[in-house]
């Protein structure tokens, strides 16, 4: 079947063209004059195409008047000028083929408004709603533009493993991967689980970050990025944490923390510009129904440089803010979401890059600064979302990394290949991780991270 996508009907078709469109009915209105209007959506764009079905069609009485929201059809006809003020064109149908009827009393997505909470229980159907259609298209644009940005800047796309044997950097709790029989777990003479009998001959988990592997390839190819699924078994039921999320992790050789911050800023601003340029209708929808400040915010951020401050400056700003934070700020604390939002929303009203965190709260691979008290780490904070990026310059000195691994309660021997990178032709390098769903949240104004991924995985939820 040669079908025209509805987006192309609005942009490419001429009056008088004969075309076939396929999709799902949004609404049907019957007119007294002996014809019906069908609003058809095929997912290719936000807009519906109006189909005019006259009573003289051979299946009008037998089928067309039984079409309800959700039914699927193919409509063939001529593109004509629409007399209505909602649209400039419509399809005058010469034939309509029904693929599947939709029972109006049972279909969960009737005309009534449904809450986002309820839609999560209908995650197999919610892609058909206006909101999730628009969401999916913006998410797609952000993914495509991510690849475009890095490819245009000469980064190589690298795939790091999803199953990992390194008990990584403590980025978060890990999901274990095993083929051991849980009813009959093998144990050694001391009673410990005998992982030598497990599939990989050692204990393995789902990755919490591809960074350590990414570093090894950056230190050969120069500039790389990953874009893949990441898993954290944190039992945190917040609006910005998922157990399975997608992360983009660029890594650059011959680079320091300032280069890293510049890359983060350029990348984010590229995304804001791209969404504004490529998704006007979907953005209009979110701007109208979800967050009235969305478009202004994106436009403003796309054009203004980010603010950069040190962690030490950030803490003194928080201390002097006069705000009664739930968690009282002090030098040495891990920044809480309320602090991050105060800085990026109230204080600076723009994205803020905080650098040089206390060594005690950051991972072993972050480069120790000359003060011996802070590391060359950065967090990028954006309004509404808080932390969107975590990154650092990596420790490239062999003696320092070995010491830092030990100080973190880990064994350098377990990181032998990571240390080899420092042993054989070490170079300064830096990188960061961006949580893809958090940028989708920011670019749509959606409040809950569960509503920006097709099938969210959170504690207690793995339906679909
Ligand atoms: P947070 O403090 O928000 O829990 P984090 O410090 O644990 O994040 P990193 O380990 O620095 O996060 O991970 C890099 C990025 O991945 C974060 O900046 C964030 O955008 C994203 N991220 C981290 N954890 C999650 C999660 N559970 N769900 C979705 N995105 C996440
Ligand atoms: Mn972080």
């Amino acid at each position: 079947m040669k079908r025209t996508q509805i987006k192309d009907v609005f942009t490419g078709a001429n009056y008088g063209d004969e075309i076939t469109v396929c999709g799902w009915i949004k609404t049907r209105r019957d007119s007294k004059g002996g014809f019906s209007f069908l609003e058809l959506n095929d997912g290719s764009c936000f807009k519906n195409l109006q189909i005019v079905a006259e009573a003289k069609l051979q299946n009008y009485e037998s089928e067309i008047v039984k079409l309800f929201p959700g039914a699927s059809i193919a409509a063939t006809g001529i593109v004509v000028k629409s007399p209505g003020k909602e649209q400039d064109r419509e399809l005058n149908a010469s034939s309509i083929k029904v693929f599947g009827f939709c029972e109006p009393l049972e279909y969960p997505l009737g005309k009534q408004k449904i809450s986002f909470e309820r839609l999560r229980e209908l995650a197999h159907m919610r892609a058909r709603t206006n909101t999730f259609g628009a969401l999916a298209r913006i998410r797609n644009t952000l993914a495509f533009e991510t690849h475009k940005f890095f490819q245009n800047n000469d980064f190589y796309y690298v795939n790091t493993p999803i199953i990992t044997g390194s008990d990584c950097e403590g980025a978060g709790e890990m999901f274990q991967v095993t083929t051991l029989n849980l009813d009959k777990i093998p144990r050694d003479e001391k009673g410990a689980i005998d992982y030598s009998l497990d599939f990989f001959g050692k204990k393995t988990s789902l990755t919490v970050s591809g960074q350590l592997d990414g570093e090894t390839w950056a230190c050969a190819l120069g500039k790389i990025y990953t874009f893949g699924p990441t898993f954290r078994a944190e039992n945190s039921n917040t609006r910005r944490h998922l157990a399975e999320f997608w992360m983009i992790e660029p890594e650059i050789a011959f680079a320091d923390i300032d280069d890293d911050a510049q890359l983060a800023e350029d990348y984010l601003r590229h995304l804001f510009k791209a969404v504004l340029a490529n998704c006007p209708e979907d953005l209009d929808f979110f701007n109208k129904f979800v967050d009235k400040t969305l478009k202004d915010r994106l436009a403003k951020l796309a054009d203004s440089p980010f603010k950069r401050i040190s962690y030490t400056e950030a803490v003194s700003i928080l201390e002097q803010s006069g705000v009664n934070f739930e968690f009282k700020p002090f030098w040495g604390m891990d920044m809480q979401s309320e602090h991050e939002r105060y800085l990026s929303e109230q204080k600076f009203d723009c994205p803020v890059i905080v650098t040089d965190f206390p060594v005690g709260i950051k991972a072993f691979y972050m480069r120790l600064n000359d003060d011996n008290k802070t590391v060359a780490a950065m967090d990028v904070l954006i309004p509404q979302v808080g932390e969107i990026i975590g990154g650092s310059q990596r420790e490239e000195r062999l003696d320092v990394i070995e010491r830092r691994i030990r100080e973190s309660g880990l064994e350098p021997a377990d990181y032998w290949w990571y240390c080899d990178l420092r042993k054989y032709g070490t170079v300064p390098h830096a990188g960061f991780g961006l949580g893809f769903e958090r940028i989708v949240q920011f670019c749509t104004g959606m409040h809950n991270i569960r509503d920006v991924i097709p099938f969210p995985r959170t504690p207690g939820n793995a339906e679909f």
Side-chain angles (χ1 to χ4, degrees):
M1 180 187 308
K2 190 177 170 311
R3 99 174 154 103
T4 302
Q5 288 194 288
I6 289 175
K7 74 176 164 67
D8 296 328
V9 179
F10 287 113
T11 54
N14 294 311
Y15 297 137
D17 287 355
E18 180 173 71
I19 58 166
T20 297
V21 290
C22 300
W24 295 266
I25 306 271
K26 285 279 187 184
T27 59
R28 191 196 81 235
R29 280 186 296 123
D30 300 326
S31 159
K32 287 196 205 75
F35 52 89
S36 299
F37 295 109
L38 304 171
E39 289 287 326
L40 195 70
N41 189 279
D42 70 356
S44 65
C45 65
F46 190 85
K47 276 214 283 280
N48 303 323
L49 180 64
Q50 178 158 288
I51 316 278
V52 184
E54 294 183 36
K56 64 175 195 244
L57 292 176
Q58 59 79 12
N59 59 346
Y60 185 79
E61 287 301 331
S62 60
E63 294 192 320
I64 290 170
V65 296
K66 294 175 187 152
L67 290 173
F68 293 102
S72 49
I73 63 163
T76 300
I78 308 283
V79 179
V80 297
K81 199 169 170 56
S82 173
K85 45 186 176 322
E86 301 279 310
Q87 64 277 318
D88 71 336
R89 59 194 61 191
E90 59 190 27
L91 191 75
N92 206 338
S94 52
S95 76
I96 289 179
K97 175 178 151 59
V98 179
F99 294 117
F101 290 98
C102 189
E103 176 53 55
L105 296 177
E106 289 170 21
Y107 187 53
L109 309 176
K111 277 192 94 176
Q112 72 284 11
K113 204 166 150 47
I114 312 175
S115 71
F116 289 144
E117 286 77 12
R118 173 74 184 123
L119 281 173
R120 276 174 223 148
E121 298 166 358
L122 300 168
H124 62 308
M125 287 277 135
R126 65 180 184 169
R128 292 194 195 176
T129 62
N130 286 337
T131 308
F132 286 88
L135 189 275
R137 286 183 295 270
I138 290 181
R139 190 178 160 110
N140 172 71
T141 293
L142 287 166
F144 182 59
E145 293 293 337
T146 289
H147 284 293
K148 233 162 87 182
F149 173 82
F150 288 111
Q151 294 291 333
N152 288 343
N153 285 289
D154 300 317
F155 284 67
Y156 293 110
Y157 176 43
V158 165
N159 300 115
T160 49
I162 289 169
I163 299 175
T164 171
S166 26
D167 198 6
C168 249
E169 27 134 354
E173 296 295 312
M174 304 182 89
F175 288 100
Q176 200 177 332
V177 175
T178 181
T179 54
L180 291 178
N181 180 348
L182 298 184
D183 290 324
K184 256 193 296 179
I185 297 174
R187 300 199 177 258
D188 61 17
E189 52 291 358
K190 288 191 201 120
I193 296 171
D194 187 357
Y195 284 109
S196 70
L197 298 173
D198 204 348
F199 190 90
F200 296 104
K202 64 185 295 194
K203 189 175 176 183
T204 52
S205 310
L206 295 178
T207 186
V208 291
S209 156
Q211 180 202 317
L212 304 192
D213 299 284
E215 280 184 51
T216 67
W217 284 64
C219 289
L221 295 168
K223 299 199 272 186
I224 64 103
Y225 69 107
T226 70
F227 187 171
T230 309
F231 307 86
R232 298 195 183 174
E234 316 169 286
N235 203 353
S236 44
N237 269 299
T238 76
R239 65 177 191 88
R240 36 178 231 152
H241 288 92
L242 290 165
E244 177 180 302
F245 63 101
W246 287 68
M247 188 141 75
I248 292 122
E249 295 184 277
E251 190 73 33
I252 32 178
F254 315 107
D256 62 16
I257 188 78
D258 293 326
D259 301 317
D260 206 28
Q262 191 61 50
L263 178 66
E265 180 172 336
D266 292 346
Y267 168 43
L268 284 173
R269 286 170 55 188
H270 173 84
L271 292 184
F272 301 149
K273 285 202 184 93
V275 176
L276 284 164
N278 297 325
C279 310
E281 288 180 353
D282 295 319
L283 275 183
D284 279 344
F285 170 80
F286 283 111
N287 201 70
K288 197 160 161 202
F289 293 106
V290 174
D291 176 356
K292 298 213 166 7
T293 64
L294 175 66
K295 282 193 348 189
D296 285 346
R297 196 171 68 229
L298 285 172
K300 188 174 146 220
L301 299 200
D303 277 329
S304 52
F306 295 8
K307 175 80 187 167
R308 294 191 199 181
I309 56 170
S310 72
Y311 168 90
T312 304
E313 288 171 282
V315 170
S316 60
I317 289 169
L318 292 169
E319 283 171 336
Q320 287 156 28
S321 66
V323 177
N324 191 13
F325 291 110
E326 201 177 309
F327 189 95
K328 196 169 179 302
F330 63 91
W331 200 95
M333 66 159 185
D334 209 354
M335 253 190 246
Q336 305 295 311
S337 165
E338 54 177 339
H339 305 141
E340 296 172 350
R341 293 191 59 176
Y342 174 81
L343 292 170
S344 61
E345 288 168 23
Q346 266 96 294
K347 179 69 188 177
F348 296 113
D349 189 27
C350 74
V352 179
I353 306 186
V354 183
T355 59
D356 304 302
F357 287 77
V359 63
I361 58 169
K362 289 288 181 185
F364 68 78
Y365 52 73
M366 300 188 175
R367 191 178 195 280
L368 192 62
N369 287 327
D370 291 343
D371 62 10
N372 275 319
K373 286 198 322 215
T374 57
V375 289
M378 66 164 189
D379 274 0
V380 182
L381 316 177
I382 53 175
Q384 318 271 332
V385 170
E387 181 186 328
I388 180 79
I389 283 178
S392 65
Q393 184 172 341
R394 319 304 190 189
E395 182 55 70
E396 85 284 12
R397 297 161 293 188
L398 182 62
D399 56 328
V400 183
I401 193 88
E402 287 182 341
R403 195 177 80 228
R404 295 276 294 115
I405 291 174
R406 271 192 214 96
E407 283 169 3
S408 309
L410 303 166
E411 270 306 314
D414 292 338
Y415 294 88
W416 65 273
W417 55 269
Y418 191 69
C419 293
D420 269 4
L421 224 57
R422 281 72 186 162
K423 210 156 145 191
Y424 305 124
T426 193
V427 294
H429 60 290
F432 63 77
L434 170 129
F436 187 55
E437 283 70 25
R438 293 207 184 155
I439 200 70
V440 182
Q441 269 186 289
F442 184 77
C443 292
T444 55
M446 291 293 276
H447 183 73
N448 196 308
I449 198 165
R450 291 167 178 79
D451 298 328
V452 299
I453 187 167
F455 298 101
R457 296 287 175 257
T458 52
N461 294 304
E463 188 71 40
F464 307 105

